[in-house]
Amino acid sequence: MDQYKAALLVLDAEHELFCQEIVEAEYREALQTISAYIAIAVAANPRPITNMSSGRHWEQDKEATIYVGNLDERTTDKLIWEVMIQCGRVANVHLPRDRVTQAHQGYGFVEFQTEEDATYVTNVLNGIKLFAKPMRINKASADKQKTVEIGAELFVGNLDPMVDEKTLFDTFSRFGSLIAAPKIARDDANLSKGYGFVSFSNFEASDEAIANMHGQYLMNKE
C-alpha cells in the first residue's frame, strides 16, 4: 500500500509539472506573438519626441492610467506588464479578481509614469491580439471626460447586483468609444448600489446607447 501511495504521489507531481510546462509554453508563445505585432505597430506609429527625463514623482496619476478589456482568462498581471512595457514606462498593473475564484474578470488597469506613455500605448496597442483576442484599450481618466463633451456620460440605473464593470463595458462599448472605464456605485462592502455610469467620447454614441438599451433587460432587471 505504501508503494502504491508513493507511486500516486509521483504521478501527481509529474502531472502538475506537465501542466505547469504547458502554461509556461502558452505564456511564452503569447508574448512572442504579440511582441511581433507590437514591433510592427510601433514602426508604423513612431513615438513622438518628448522630454523623457522630467523626473516628477508619480502618485497614481489617473491621467496616466489606461483601461484594458477583452482579456483572455490565461492573461496574467505579469504578461500585461511585459506587453505594455514595450511601448511605455509601466508603474503598476492591476487585474481585478473575483473574490471567490480569484480569477481575473477579463479587464484591468495599467498605470504609466506619464500621461504621454498612456496616450501612446492607447493609440498603438488598441486592437492588438493577445491569445487571439483583440485588447480593448481606453484612457481611464475620470476627469478628462469633462473636457471632451459634457453630457456624453450616461447614468444606468436599476442594475442587477450581478452586473459588474466588465458587463457594462461589454454591453455599451459596441455603441461607441468609451473614454473611461464604466463605474458602478458600491458600498463599503464593495456591493453594487444598483446604478453606474458609462462615459462615451461623443453624443452620437451615447444617444445610440440610450435608444437601444433603455428599458432592455440586463441580467433579469430592466
Side-chain angles (χ1 to χ4, degrees):
M1 181 61 70
D2 290 340
Q3 291 180 345
Y4 175 72
K5 289 183 178 179
L8 286 179
L9 289 175
V10 171
L11 287 175
D12 287 342
E14 290 179 348
H15 180 262
E16 183 176 350
L17 179 60
F18 176 72
C19 291
Q20 182 62 33
E21 289 176 347
I22 291 178
V23 171
E24 291 177 354
E26 290 179 337
Y27 179 97
R28 290 193 298 270
E29 182 180 358
L31 183 59
Q32 183 178 12
T33 300
I34 195 172
S35 295
Y37 282 107
I38 290 174
I40 296 173
V42 169
N45 299 273
R47 186 186 180 103
I49 298 175
T50 57
N51 180 13
M52 301 293 286
S53 58
S54 60
R56 73 171 179 81
H57 180 62
W58 177 84
E59 295 182 349
Q60 296 186 355
D61 185 357
K62 56 190 175 183
E63 298 290 347
T65 300
I66 65 172
Y67 171 91
V68 185
N70 197 38
L71 297 177
D72 186 273
E73 60 183 8
R74 292 168 289 181
T75 304
T76 64
D77 297 61
K78 180 182 177 182
L79 181 56
I80 289 296
W81 183 291
E82 294 197 32
V83 167
M84 296 296 168
I85 204 170
Q86 296 183 55
C87 293
R89 295 164 296 169
V90 179
N92 185 42
V93 173
H94 175 57
L95 303 184
R97 298 184 179 277
D98 185 273
R99 286 178 292 179
V100 177
T101 66
Q102 288 302 303
H104 74 73
Q105 302 177 56
Y107 69 95
F109 300 92
V110 181
E111 297 167 313
F112 292 90
Q113 292 188 14
T114 67
E115 182 180 357
E116 289 76 19
D117 285 320
T119 299
Y120 182 68
V121 170
T122 301
N123 293 336
V124 172
L125 296 189
N126 185 40
I128 294 289
K129 292 182 179 180
L130 180 60
F131 288 116
K133 295 181 67 174
M135 294 186 295
R136 298 173 181 169
I137 300 178
N138 293 72
K139 289 291 291 294
S141 170
D143 294 335
K144 185 157 290 189
Q145 66 198 39
K146 296 180 177 61
T147 65
V148 179
E149 281 191 75
I150 298 175
E153 180 179 66
L154 297 184
F155 170 86
V156 186
N158 197 39
L159 292 176
D160 186 283
M162 295 299 294
V163 173
D164 58 13
E165 288 80 0
K166 179 180 183 299
T167 304
L168 287 185
F169 181 89
D170 291 342
T171 301
F172 286 91
S173 61
R174 60 193 177 97
F175 298 110
S177 176
L178 303 182
I179 61 171
K183 295 181 179 180
I184 289 181
R186 298 182 180 276
D187 59 21
D188 294 337
N190 201 36
L191 299 177
S192 172
K193 293 183 178 181
Y195 66 91
F197 301 90
V198 179
S199 302
F200 288 97
S201 61
N202 56 70
F203 288 112
E204 290 76 15
S206 61
D207 288 344
E208 185 176 356
I210 293 173
N212 284 274
M213 293 304 300
H214 183 67
Q216 297 298 317
Y217 281 81
L218 188 61
M219 290 189 178
N220 300 318
K221 293 193 71 173
E222 184 179 358

